[in-house]
Amino acid sequence: MSDATHEETAGAGRGPAPVVFFLSDSTGITAETLGNTLLTQFPGHRFERRTIPFITTAVEACRVIEVINGIASSGPRPIVFSTAVNREIREILAQSKGHFLDLFGTHIGRLEDALHAPASGEPGKAHGVGDAIRYQSRMTAVEYAIEHDDGQSIRALERAELILIAPSRCGKTPTTMYLALQHGILAANFPLVEEDFVHQTLPDPLRPFVRKCFGLTSLPVRLSQIRKERRPDSNYASLAQCSHELRNAEEMYRFNQIPFVNSASMSVEEISATILQRMQLHH
């Protein structure tokens, strides 16, 4: 039984931070994602988070209950998010003294009624290899994104579903990797450099694929901060240079009718969702 813990220090909550458990009989990714999404609606609170994945036996579930109940006996009742698929495991975890939120069982009964079929009760379907074709497409997309990261390869650009362009450090790499891993999108990314701004034209290798291009921009101050972490006291990281590149990048996007978004205050998930919607990409 693994136990990954971290504490969110932001917020003005008083007293000890409630412990939040994310429990799963698989990886715990879904429990974390859904649970953390709900917790963002309470920005004034701080939480101590613990993820316990792969709870696959009744014995392990009982051990988890002991941990939760021990915390409940000496402080605020823990908040428990569970995506356990196995009915027996869910029923055991629900007996804890925490505030139990069953993110799976709450809805599975209604789906069984709608589909007139019982759920399989098999864990690991969401992030495992149950759908072999979809899994392989995601792995192929990751390999493509790695090969075509930061313009290091122009081979097979015709296969790309998306070409992300932006000045350095605007978030191209994490976005293409997320789109590949989560959505199986064949995404390349290409940096914009000084010579690209002279005539406001795309780099030569990208010109045949302008309709596949999507641009990222940022705020000069934010971009300067990020670049200073990489190259402090350089012209590359100066506010003037960042302002110049971002201004010219946006002019290039408009001139070439390339859609773009400001990534400065967006998560990689939000950037990716915006791109998928505006480029009408679906997998």
Side-chain angles (χ1 to χ4, degrees), residues 75-259:
R77 288 176 62 194
I79 299 168
V80 181
F81 293 105
S82 171
T83 54
V85 174
N86 181 277
R87 188 183 300 274
E88 180 186 10
I89 300 298
R90 292 207 315 271
E91 291 175 350
I92 294 173
L93 295 176
Q95 296 171 19
S96 76
K97 295 180 181 178
H99 298 285
F100 188 75
L101 288 85
D102 188 348
L103 300 174
F104 186 89
T106 302
H107 308 289
I108 195 65
R110 296 180 66 181
L111 276 174
E112 288 177 328
D113 290 341
L115 299 173
H116 305 292
S120 69
E122 298 178 36
K125 293 296 186 181
H127 302 283
V129 294
D131 186 339
I133 295 176
R134 178 171 171 77
Y135 180 81
Q136 185 56 50
S137 74
R138 289 191 291 128
M139 295 305 99
T140 298
V142 169
E143 292 172 359
Y144 188 90
I146 293 172
E147 178 183 349
H148 294 83
D149 182 43
D150 214 28
Q152 62 185 351
S153 173
I154 58 174
R155 186 182 70 88
L157 279 180
E158 69 278 358
R159 292 183 58 210
E161 298 170 275
L162 169 73
I163 302 174
L164 203 57
I165 60 175
S168 173
R169 311 304 286 179
C170 283
K172 300 185 304 298
T173 295
T175 302
T176 52
M177 289 300 298
Y178 181 87
L179 286 167
L181 184 59
Q182 296 295 325
H183 299 283
I185 300 294
L186 293 175
N189 76 73
F190 210 93
L192 297 177
V193 295
E194 192 65 37
E195 50 264 36
D196 297 323
F197 301 136
V198 176
H199 301 292
Q200 295 298 310
T201 56
L202 287 174
D204 288 344
L206 304 186
R207 291 180 188 176
F209 310 110
V210 62
R211 300 278 70 86
K212 295 182 178 183
C213 291
F214 192 98
L216 295 181
T217 184
S218 186
L219 296 176
V221 172
R222 175 61 177 157
L223 183 59
S224 177
Q225 291 171 340
I226 294 172
R227 288 184 173 185
K228 283 179 180 177
E229 295 175 1
R230 189 178 188 184
R231 298 184 197 171
D233 303 318
S234 65
N235 180 63
Y236 165 80
S238 70
L239 186 60
Q241 180 64 25
C242 292
S243 299
H244 166 75
E245 291 185 30
L246 292 171
R247 181 173 61 253
N248 279 276
E250 291 185 22
E251 290 178 1
M252 175 188 287
Y253 301 152
R254 294 188 180 99
F255 181 80
N256 292 279
Q257 298 183 317
I258 294 172

